[in-house]
Amino acid sequence: MHHGQLLHLLDTKVAAEWLDYNGHMNDAAYAIVFSRSIDTLMDRIHLDAAARKATGYTIYTMQAMLHYVKEAKHDAPLTVRAHLLEHDAKRIRIWLEMTEGLGGAKLAMSEQLLLSVDQSDGVRVAPWLPETAAALDALAKAQGGLAHPEEAGRGIALKRR
């Protein structure tokens, strides 16, 4: 990853089973793609399958917000990239952008709050493993120059006149 760039996480295509009655990607399928992107992020921050098995550490999603911008059709290429908005000893707030292939039209965005969980002896919130904390610090530093997404941190509301 280059300094000041979004972290490339996933390339895939719109699967036939993701299509809805309107002939485009169902809203739940966007969540599937974003979830798979978080799986890739876990690999990048030293929480891959082997690490999870060895340590019992994982990530739980505490909150997710989806923003739909443009429909995606069958077989359309999808690319997801990430911006680490902030993190602390036990949490990550991340922004995911889905585009039609690399550099294509923006299709959707997801803002997620993720939590560090130790499942080795029950389920408890725990500080990141040192390797994960270091990877998150490095990612935050590399993305330090990125502009904060305009839509990030916004809730849902009807505009009042």
Side-chain angles (χ1 to χ4, degrees):
M1 186 180 113
H2 294 91
H3 187 77
Q5 291 185 343
L6 297 175
L7 177 64
H8 189 104
L9 292 178
L10 184 70
D11 290 304
T12 190
K13 287 188 174 190
V14 177
E17 61 269 19
W18 294 349
L19 300 180
D20 65 12
Y21 44 83
N22 294 316
H24 54 76
M25 197 161 126
N26 180 279
D27 57 346
Y30 289 83
I32 290 170
V33 174
F34 285 129
S35 180
R36 289 181 180 163
S37 299
I38 294 299
D39 293 344
T40 302
L41 174 68
M42 290 176 69
D43 292 346
R44 302 272 181 89
I45 61 171
H46 306 287
L47 286 174
D48 58 30
R52 291 190 307 271
K53 184 176 181 181
T55 66
Y57 272 71
T58 190
I59 286 178
Y60 279 19
T61 303
M62 300 308 296
Q63 189 173 14
M65 173 72 137
L66 294 173
H67 302 264
Y68 303 98
V69 178
K70 185 175 185 271
E71 64 185 28
K73 302 280 187 175
H74 181 249
D75 264 349
L78 303 175
T79 296
V80 178
R81 297 181 304 156
H83 180 176
L84 180 62
L85 298 175
E86 58 184 330
H87 70 290
D88 63 17
K90 300 176 185 176
R91 299 173 298 174
I92 300 170
R93 188 169 141 236
I94 194 152
W95 182 258
L96 304 166
E97 290 189 0
M98 182 188 305
T99 56
E100 191 168 9
L102 189 58
K106 193 179 292 186
L107 301 172
M109 296 87 67
S110 179
E111 182 176 5
Q112 299 192 15
L113 179 60
L114 309 172
L115 189 63
S116 173
V117 174
D118 180 357
Q119 300 182 122
S120 61
D121 185 27
V123 175
R124 65 180 181 84
V125 176
W128 299 112
L129 293 168
E131 303 84 12
T132 301
L136 291 171
D137 289 344
L139 179 57
K141 183 177 180 182
Q143 292 187 330
L146 287 176
H148 193 81
E150 185 178 318
E151 302 91 342
R154 292 189 178 174
I156 297 173
L158 298 178
K159 291 185 180 185
R160 307 282 183 208
R161 293 181 189 210

